[in-house]
């Protein structure tokens, strides 16, 4: 698989599909402790007719660490990859933390983003005092328990346990420094007062059973967008793997109807 050196990190990525296909390239950005394979279903579907790019963010999957401290740095990595591939305009699809990265790119480079899809993501993390204390306390438990608790609750009730355990193991392979630093970066992330500046067509897709980033927080974000539509699916926080076909169909409709 191809790699790109960016500020000391080797970013692993996929660049597939016809260069002269219908529409600008799709760029898929995964979330916290995940990797580019969250988008396997979407890559297989969309790369038949248009260019598709996805990457392992630094410190995740098959990309190296070389320091990762802020979500803004991850956004710069994505842009560096797109510059390397000579992709000027694109559609961003971001899941969870990947949606946060996508919002930063849309805010800093609105001329390059044709449209955007936010999957199980928000613009500001808000929680009451009890929830805040619980989140702070969770960082003090052993690392494996911290990972297991966070990934377990990311899936809707009834999702196969062995599959959940597989994703827990994969997440636990992410370096602890990356996991904890970006966990705190997400807690501090806040662009809610700025998303009104994002005037590109935006699709917001959210799992009804998402307790990591609840629907109520997503709706607060959705109201701030001047041109957004919302779709709620019967899933938890891990929509790309819980309901991959439904998510792909939802993306396809958005790209087709808004083109």
């Amino acid at each position: 698989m191809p790699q790109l050196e960016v500020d000391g990190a080797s970013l692993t990525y996929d660049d597939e599909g016809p260069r002269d296909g219908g529409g600008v390239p799709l760029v898929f950005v995964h979330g916290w402790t995940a990797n580019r394979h969250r988008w396997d279903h979407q890559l297989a579907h969309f790369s038949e007719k248009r260019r598709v790019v996805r990457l392992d963010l630094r410190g995740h999957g098959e990309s190296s660490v070389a320091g990762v401290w802020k979500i803004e740095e991850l956004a710069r990595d994505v842009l560096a990859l797109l510059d390397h591939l000579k992709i000027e305009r694109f559609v961003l699809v971001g899941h969870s933390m990947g949606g946060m990265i996508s919002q930063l790119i849309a805010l800093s480079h609105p001329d390059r983003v044709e449209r955007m899809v936010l999957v199980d993501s928000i613009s500001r993390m808000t929680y009451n005092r009890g929830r805040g204390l619980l989140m702070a306390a969770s960082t003090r438990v052993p690392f494996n328990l911290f990972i297991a608790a966070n990934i377990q609750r990311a899936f809707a009730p009834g999702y196969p346990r062995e599959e959940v355990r597989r994703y827990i193991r994969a997440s636990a392979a992410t370096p602890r420094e990356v996991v904890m630093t970006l966990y705190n970066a997400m807690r501090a992330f806040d662009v809610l007062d700025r998303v009104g500046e994002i005037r590109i067509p935006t699709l917001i897709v959210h799992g009804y059973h998402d307790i990591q980033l609840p629907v109520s927080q997503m709706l607060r974000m959705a109201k701030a967008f001047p041109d957004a539509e919302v779709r709620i699916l019967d899933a938890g926080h891990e929509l790309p793997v819980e309901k991959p076909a439904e998510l792909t169909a939802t993306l396809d409709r958005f790209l087709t109807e808004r083109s």
Side-chain angles (χ1 to χ4, degrees), residues 178-193:
V178 174
V179 171
M180 303 311 299
T181 300
L182 290 177
Y183 178 79
N184 290 321
M186 287 190 296
R187 290 177 63 191
F189 182 77
D190 185 357
V191 295
L192 186 61
D193 294 336

PDB file of all heavy atoms in Angstrom, residues 178-193:
ATOM      1  N   VAL A 178      -1.268   8.178  21.779  1.00  0.00           N
ATOM      2  CA  VAL A 178      -2.194   8.678  20.758  1.00  0.00           C
ATOM      3  C   VAL A 178      -3.627   8.642  21.280  1.00  0.00           C
ATOM      4  O   VAL A 178      -4.385   9.603  21.145  1.00  0.00           O
ATOM      5  CB  VAL A 178      -2.063   7.845  19.466  1.00  0.00           C
ATOM      6  CG1 VAL A 178      -3.129   8.247  18.446  1.00  0.00           C
ATOM      7  CG2 VAL A 178      -0.670   8.001  18.870  1.00  0.00           C
ATOM      8  N   VAL A 179      -3.994   7.512  21.876  1.00  0.00           N
ATOM      9  CA  VAL A 179      -5.357   7.337  22.382  1.00  0.00           C
ATOM     10  C   VAL A 179      -5.714   8.413  23.403  1.00  0.00           C
ATOM     11  O   VAL A 179      -6.742   9.089  23.293  1.00  0.00           O
ATOM     12  CB  VAL A 179      -5.517   5.934  23.010  1.00  0.00           C
ATOM     13  CG1 VAL A 179      -6.864   5.820  23.740  1.00  0.00           C
ATOM     14  CG2 VAL A 179      -5.405   4.856  21.939  1.00  0.00           C
ATOM     15  N   MET A 180      -4.857   8.595  24.394  1.00  0.00           N
ATOM     16  CA  MET A 180      -5.192   9.503  25.480  1.00  0.00           C
ATOM     17  C   MET A 180      -5.097  10.969  25.058  1.00  0.00           C
ATOM     18  O   MET A 180      -5.913  11.797  25.473  1.00  0.00           O
ATOM     19  CB  MET A 180      -4.284   9.237  26.686  1.00  0.00           C
ATOM     20  CG  MET A 180      -4.338   7.798  27.190  1.00  0.00           C
ATOM     21  SD  MET A 180      -6.027   7.152  27.440  1.00  0.00           S
ATOM     22  CE  MET A 180      -6.663   8.265  28.689  1.00  0.00           C
ATOM     23  N   THR A 181      -4.110  11.289  24.230  1.00  0.00           N
ATOM     24  CA  THR A 181      -3.971  12.678  23.788  1.00  0.00           C
ATOM     25  C   THR A 181      -5.169  13.102  22.958  1.00  0.00           C
ATOM     26  O   THR A 181      -5.735  14.186  23.163  1.00  0.00           O
ATOM     27  CB  THR A 181      -2.679  12.858  22.973  1.00  0.00           C
ATOM     28  OG1 THR A 181      -1.559  12.517  23.788  1.00  0.00           O
ATOM     29  CG2 THR A 181      -2.541  14.294  22.504  1.00  0.00           C
ATOM     30  N   LEU A 182      -5.595  12.250  22.031  1.00  0.00           N
ATOM     31  CA  LEU A 182      -6.720  12.606  21.176  1.00  0.00           C
ATOM     32  C   LEU A 182      -8.052  12.499  21.913  1.00  0.00           C
ATOM     33  O   LEU A 182      -9.015  13.192  21.567  1.00  0.00           O
ATOM     34  CB  LEU A 182      -6.720  11.746  19.917  1.00  0.00           C
ATOM     35  CG  LEU A 182      -5.576  12.065  18.948  1.00  0.00           C
ATOM     36  CD1 LEU A 182      -5.594  11.115  17.755  1.00  0.00           C
ATOM     37  CD2 LEU A 182      -5.656  13.513  18.473  1.00  0.00           C
ATOM     38  N   TYR A 183      -8.125  11.660  22.924  1.00  0.00           N
ATOM     39  CA  TYR A 183      -9.324  11.614  23.767  1.00  0.00           C
ATOM     40  C   TYR A 183      -9.551  12.988  24.403  1.00  0.00           C
ATOM     41  O   TYR A 183     -10.661  13.539  24.374  1.00  0.00           O
ATOM     42  CB  TYR A 183      -9.133  10.545  24.836  1.00  0.00           C
ATOM     43  CG  TYR A 183     -10.285  10.410  25.826  1.00  0.00           C
ATOM     44  CD1 TYR A 183     -11.442   9.731  25.480  1.00  0.00           C
ATOM     45  CD2 TYR A 183     -10.180  10.931  27.109  1.00  0.00           C
ATOM     46  CE1 TYR A 183     -12.492   9.589  26.396  1.00  0.00           C
ATOM     47  CE2 TYR A 183     -11.214  10.798  28.016  1.00  0.00           C
ATOM     48  CZ  TYR A 183     -12.359  10.116  27.653  1.00  0.00           C
ATOM     49  OH  TYR A 183     -13.387   9.981  28.569  1.00  0.00           O
ATOM     50  N   ASN A 184      -8.491  13.556  24.942  1.00  0.00           N
ATOM     51  CA  ASN A 184      -8.605  14.887  25.550  1.00  0.00           C
ATOM     52  C   ASN A 184      -8.826  15.971  24.498  1.00  0.00           C
ATOM     53  O   ASN A 184      -9.536  16.949  24.736  1.00  0.00           O
ATOM     54  CB  ASN A 184      -7.355  15.181  26.381  1.00  0.00           C
ATOM     55  CG  ASN A 184      -7.287  14.332  27.635  1.00  0.00           C
ATOM     56  OD1 ASN A 184      -8.303  14.083  28.280  1.00  0.00           O
ATOM     57  ND2 ASN A 184      -6.101  13.860  27.985  1.00  0.00           N
ATOM     58  N   ALA A 185      -8.224  15.789  23.308  1.00  0.00           N
ATOM     59  CA  ALA A 185      -8.422  16.767  22.235  1.00  0.00           C
ATOM     60  C   ALA A 185      -9.877  16.789  21.784  1.00  0.00           C
ATOM     61  O   ALA A 185     -10.437  17.864  21.512  1.00  0.00           O
ATOM     62  CB  ALA A 185      -7.501  16.448  21.066  1.00  0.00           C
ATOM     63  N   MET A 186     -10.506  15.635  21.715  1.00  0.00           N
ATOM     64  CA  MET A 186     -11.922  15.584  21.337  1.00  0.00           C
ATOM     65  C   MET A 186     -12.803  16.227  22.407  1.00  0.00           C
ATOM     66  O   MET A 186     -13.778  16.917  22.088  1.00  0.00           O
ATOM     67  CB  MET A 186     -12.355  14.133  21.094  1.00  0.00           C
ATOM     68  CG  MET A 186     -11.818  13.537  19.819  1.00  0.00           C
ATOM     69  SD  MET A 186     -12.578  11.933  19.444  1.00  0.00           S
ATOM     70  CE  MET A 186     -12.022  10.951  20.847  1.00  0.00           C
ATOM     71  N   ARG A 187     -12.461  15.996  23.656  1.00  0.00           N
ATOM     72  CA  ARG A 187     -13.248  16.605  24.735  1.00  0.00           C
ATOM     73  C   ARG A 187     -13.185  18.128  24.673  1.00  0.00           C
ATOM     74  O   ARG A 187     -14.148  18.814  25.023  1.00  0.00           O
ATOM     75  CB  ARG A 187     -12.730  16.116  26.094  1.00  0.00           C
ATOM     76  CG  ARG A 187     -13.035  14.651  26.383  1.00  0.00           C
ATOM     77  CD  ARG A 187     -12.431  14.228  27.714  1.00  0.00           C
ATOM     78  NE  ARG A 187     -13.027  14.971  28.828  1.00  0.00           N
ATOM     79  CZ  ARG A 187     -12.556  14.955  30.063  1.00  0.00           C
ATOM     80  NH1 ARG A 187     -11.477  14.255  30.346  1.00  0.00           N
ATOM     81  NH2 ARG A 187     -13.155  15.635  31.022  1.00  0.00           N
ATOM     82  N   ALA A 188     -12.060  18.644  24.194  1.00  0.00           N
ATOM     83  CA  ALA A 188     -11.890  20.094  24.124  1.00  0.00           C
ATOM     84  C   ALA A 188     -12.351  20.677  22.785  1.00  0.00           C
ATOM     85  O   ALA A 188     -12.419  21.903  22.637  1.00  0.00           O
ATOM     86  CB  ALA A 188     -10.419  20.453  24.354  1.00  0.00           C
ATOM     87  N   PHE A 189     -12.677  19.831  21.834  1.00  0.00           N
ATOM     88  CA  PHE A 189     -13.020  20.304  20.490  1.00  0.00           C
ATOM     89  C   PHE A 189     -14.296  21.146  20.530  1.00  0.00           C
ATOM     90  O   PHE A 189     -15.296  20.759  21.121  1.00  0.00           O
ATOM     91  CB  PHE A 189     -13.233  19.104  19.567  1.00  0.00           C
ATOM     92  CG  PHE A 189     -13.539  19.477  18.145  1.00  0.00           C
ATOM     93  CD1 PHE A 189     -12.548  19.889  17.289  1.00  0.00           C
ATOM     94  CD2 PHE A 189     -14.843  19.417  17.666  1.00  0.00           C
ATOM     95  CE1 PHE A 189     -12.825  20.227  15.971  1.00  0.00           C
ATOM     96  CE2 PHE A 189     -15.139  19.749  16.350  1.00  0.00           C
ATOM     97  CZ  PHE A 189     -14.128  20.155  15.501  1.00  0.00           C
ATOM     98  N   ASP A 190     -14.256  22.290  19.868  1.00  0.00           N
ATOM     99  CA  ASP A 190     -15.433  23.180  19.879  1.00  0.00           C
ATOM    100  C   ASP A 190     -15.369  24.154  18.704  1.00  0.00           C
ATOM    101  O   ASP A 190     -14.603  25.109  18.714  1.00  0.00           O
ATOM    102  CB  ASP A 190     -15.501  23.948  21.200  1.00  0.00           C
ATOM    103  CG  ASP A 190     -16.768  24.791  21.327  1.00  0.00           C
ATOM    104  OD1 ASP A 190     -17.564  24.829  20.372  1.00  0.00           O
ATOM    105  OD2 ASP A 190     -16.957  25.409  22.390  1.00  0.00           O
ATOM    106  N   VAL A 191     -16.185  23.869  17.685  1.00  0.00           N
ATOM    107  CA  VAL A 191     -16.334  24.808  16.571  1.00  0.00           C
ATOM    108  C   VAL A 191     -17.818  25.129  16.352  1.00  0.00           C
ATOM    109  O   VAL A 191     -18.198  25.610  15.290  1.00  0.00           O
ATOM    110  CB  VAL A 191     -15.702  24.258  15.264  1.00  0.00           C
ATOM    111  CG1 VAL A 191     -14.199  24.107  15.404  1.00  0.00           C
ATOM    112  CG2 VAL A 191     -16.346  22.941  14.854  1.00  0.00           C
ATOM    113  N   LEU A 192     -18.628  24.855  17.369  1.00  0.00           N
ATOM    114  CA  LEU A 192     -20.073  25.031  17.213  1.00  0.00           C
ATOM    115  C   LEU A 192     -20.435  26.449  16.816  1.00  0.00           C
ATOM    116  O   LEU A 192     -21.363  26.662  16.024  1.00  0.00           O
ATOM    117  CB  LEU A 192     -20.785  24.639  18.511  1.00  0.00           C
ATOM    118  CG  LEU A 192     -22.322  24.642  18.456  1.00  0.00           C
ATOM    119  CD1 LEU A 192     -22.824  23.654  17.417  1.00  0.00           C
ATOM    120  CD2 LEU A 192     -22.904  24.311  19.831  1.00  0.00           C
ATOM    121  N   ASP A 193     -19.714  27.418  17.347  1.00  0.00           N
ATOM    122  CA  ASP A 193     -20.025  28.815  17.024  1.00  0.00           C
ATOM    123  C   ASP A 193     -19.539  29.215  15.633  1.00  0.00           C
ATOM    124  O   ASP A 193     -19.837  30.331  15.183  1.00  0.00           O
ATOM    125  CB  ASP A 193     -19.402  29.749  18.074  1.00  0.00           C
ATOM    126  CG  ASP A 193     -20.027  29.571  19.448  1.00  0.00           C
ATOM    127  OD1 ASP A 193     -21.185  29.115  19.504  1.00  0.00           O
ATOM    128  OD2 ASP A 193     -19.356  29.880  20.443  1.00  0.00           O
TER     129      ASP A 193
END
